[in-house]
Amino acid sequence: IIGKSSSGRTAAVIDLNWDHPTLSVAHALDQRNTISPEISLYDAKIIYNWNVALDSGAIKTRLDPSTALQVTWIDQTFNGKWVTDFKLPLVGNPGPLAGDIRVRRQFVF
């Protein structure tokens, strides 16, 4: 179920999936930045999303305060794109937290 504001900058989405129902509210702050918190209707867990449109790609950020921060940067080039994924767990064993960084190239033929 989707509902949009009269300005078109905000939309609410209710996903009634049996296993994981959610309520998301997406709001365009401007032409480049969109925030969209997602609330689980099952356990009230909140996940925060922030998307930034760049001239040559996008940055997508997803924060689950109980587990991890995940950032994906897509940089579009002429013959393909570079994709960089970064994941930082926010919980774990005692000691320093270990992040995961992956960089890959996707070619277009």
Side-chain angles (χ1 to χ4, degrees), residues 75-98:
D75 187 25
Q76 187 70 39
T77 60
F78 180 69
N79 292 328
K81 58 185 168 185
W82 288 95
V83 180
T84 304
D85 292 310
F86 172 78
K87 187 170 184 178
L88 178 65
L90 300 176
V91 294
N93 298 329
L97 297 175

Side-chain angles (χ1 to χ4, degrees), residues 43-60:
D43 59 8
K45 182 177 181 180
I46 300 176
I47 296 175
Y48 303 94
N49 298 294
W50 174 37
N51 297 329
V52 180
L54 304 173
D55 291 334
S56 65
I59 298 174
K60 298 179 180 182

Side-chain angles (χ1 to χ4, degrees), residues 2-16:
I2 300 173
K4 294 186 178 183
S5 68
S6 60
S7 68
R9 293 180 55 187
T10 305
V13 179
I14 296 178
D15 181 355
L16 297 175

